[in-house]
Amino acid sequence: MLRNRDGLGRVAIIGGGLVGTCTALELSDRGYKVDIFEAHSELVCKASQHNEGKIYLGFIYALDLSLNTAHTMIEGAIQFVELLSRWIKFDIEDLMSTPFHYCVHKGTLAKADKLAAHYQSCADLFEDVRSQTGLKYLGLIEKIYSRRMNEQDIADIANPEYIDAAFETNEYAIDTYKLASLLRQSVSQTDKITVRANSKVVGLKKSDDNSFRKQYSNLEGAITWSPPYQGNRVWNLVRKGSLLRVMAG
Ligand SMILES: Cc1cc2nc3c(=O)[nH]c(=O)nc-3n(C[C@H](O)[C@H](O)[C@H](O)COP(=O)(O)OP(=O)(O)OC[C@H]3O[C@@H](n4cnc5c(N)ncnc54)[C@H](O)[C@@H]3O)c2cc1C
């Protein structure tokens, strides 16, 4: 981080996926100037765009009997819309999928009754998190549920030869392509964020004055050093190895 004349830092972010881009938008809202170094040609074009987009409620983590995974997922899910609204303008109903159904395969490790009990635990956990935060799932849903489907309804969606049971839920995914596009649009509307696309960070170097520079290559493979960022903390992370995977990139 490099301090500017207002006393606010200039921040370098390596990787412009969902995490890097949202971090940049939040920092720019708080008055920081931000450079995003992205190895590819545009932001939010890798895993954050090409994924299922599910806003998990913990249903699929039935083998974690501690419920820790479900709890973490529910805490994230209930804040998702609230957080995104800080950085982009959207109507969640334009982004939402149809609700998920879960089919229980005959060879599954978790049988239908065990799953039904797990889904109920998720619903109870959701109640707790909802009462602590006052938030709704996707800003709309106050209660989550799972409902066991009858044989006829199952036959309409899956081959009963392979399926023991099925559940309807009110868990949803969002359209990750639309989300990616909205995030890129939001970044393009702030002059506090500079996107250094096609810039793969391949190294970090500490200077004598404790600042550090990023070494990055462009599409033609030319290697460039970034301006210096003040960064004892980052440098310490590098020394401890937390950032070494970036250097190896
Ligand atoms: C198949 C699949 C399905 C998934 N389904 C879901 C789901 O349904 N729900 C869910 O919540 N999560 C899902 N995930 C997980 C989710 O996609 C990731 O948790 C999320 O995208 C991570 O965001 P990120 O910004 O950390 O990573 P990314 O989107 O991968 O962004 C990292 C960025 O850093 C850039 N980069 C990397 N190294 C460098 C470097 N050295 N220099 C410059 N730039 C660099 C990359 O080019 C990339 O753009 C899924 C993931 C996969 C792979």
Side-chain angles (χ1 to χ4, degrees), residues 120-190:
Q120 185 54 50
S121 301
C122 291
D124 295 343
L125 272 179
F126 181 87
E127 278 294 315
D128 291 347
V129 176
R130 169 153 167 66
S131 65
Q132 282 157 23
T133 60
L135 297 172
K136 298 178 190 171
Y137 177 52
L138 299 173
L140 304 170
I141 294 166
E142 296 187 22
K143 266 185 188 301
I144 65 166
Y145 66 80
S146 67
R147 201 170 290 136
R148 200 156 172 166
M149 295 168 71
N150 65 38
E151 279 177 21
Q152 182 52 52
D153 289 345
I154 295 174
D156 288 344
I157 59 164
N159 184 344
E161 200 184 322
Y162 303 109
I163 301 299
D164 254 346
F167 296 85
E168 284 173 6
T169 74
N170 58 349
E171 185 179 57
Y172 291 85
I174 50 116
D175 183 328
T176 53
Y177 283 79
K178 283 188 185 163
L179 175 62
S181 166
L182 288 167
L183 286 165
R184 288 193 285 266
Q185 196 184 331
S186 188
V187 167
S188 71
Q189 286 164 355
T190 165

Side-chain angles (χ1 to χ4, degrees), residues 34-206:
V34 183
D35 294 308
I36 307 178
F37 292 81
E38 169 50 50
H40 291 87
S41 58
E42 60 178 358
L43 299 178
V44 202
C45 68
K46 303 306 288 178
S48 300
Q49 179 168 251
H50 305 288
N51 74 60
E52 202 183 354
K54 193 191 283 185
I55 312 302
Y56 284 103
L57 288 169
F59 290 145
I60 67 165
Y61 298 98
L63 295 181
D64 174 8
L65 301 181
S66 74
L67 293 176
N68 286 340
T69 311
H71 193 252
T72 302
M73 292 290 156
I74 288 168
E75 283 194 322
I78 210 163
Q79 292 180 59
F80 182 75
V81 160
E82 176 93 352
L83 283 171
L84 270 187
S85 310
R86 289 153 75 141
W87 310 309
I88 55 174
K89 292 199 181 1
F90 64 102
D91 179 347
I92 188 65
E93 293 187 63
D94 292 341
L95 298 186
M96 280 164 72
S97 69
T98 50
F100 277 82
H101 292 72
Y102 285 99
C103 293
V104 186
H105 192 272
K106 289 200 163 140
T108 186
L109 288 175
K111 301 290 179 201
D113 288 347
K114 191 171 171 183
L115 285 173
H118 173 72
Y119 296 159
Q120 185 54 50
S121 301
C122 291
D124 295 343
L125 272 179
F126 181 87
E127 278 294 315
D128 291 347
V129 176
R130 169 153 167 66
S131 65
Q132 282 157 23
T133 60
L135 297 172
K136 298 178 190 171
Y137 177 52
L138 299 173
L140 304 170
I141 294 166
E142 296 187 22
K143 266 185 188 301
I144 65 166
Y145 66 80
S146 67
R147 201 170 290 136
R148 200 156 172 166
M149 295 168 71
N150 65 38
E151 279 177 21
Q152 182 52 52
D153 289 345
I154 295 174
D156 288 344
I157 59 164
N159 184 344
E161 200 184 322
Y162 303 109
I163 301 299
D164 254 346
F167 296 85
E168 284 173 6
T169 74
N170 58 349
E171 185 179 57
Y172 291 85
I174 50 116
D175 183 328
T176 53
Y177 283 79
K178 283 188 185 163
L179 175 62
S181 166
L182 288 167
L183 286 165
R184 288 193 285 266
Q185 196 184 331
S186 188
V187 167
S188 71
Q189 286 164 355
T190 165
D191 55 8
K192 286 205 166 67
I193 301 178
T194 305
V195 180
R196 296 176 188 272
N198 299 315
S199 300
K200 180 172 184 171
V201 174
V202 291
L204 295 173
K205 184 180 174 192
K206 193 182 182 192

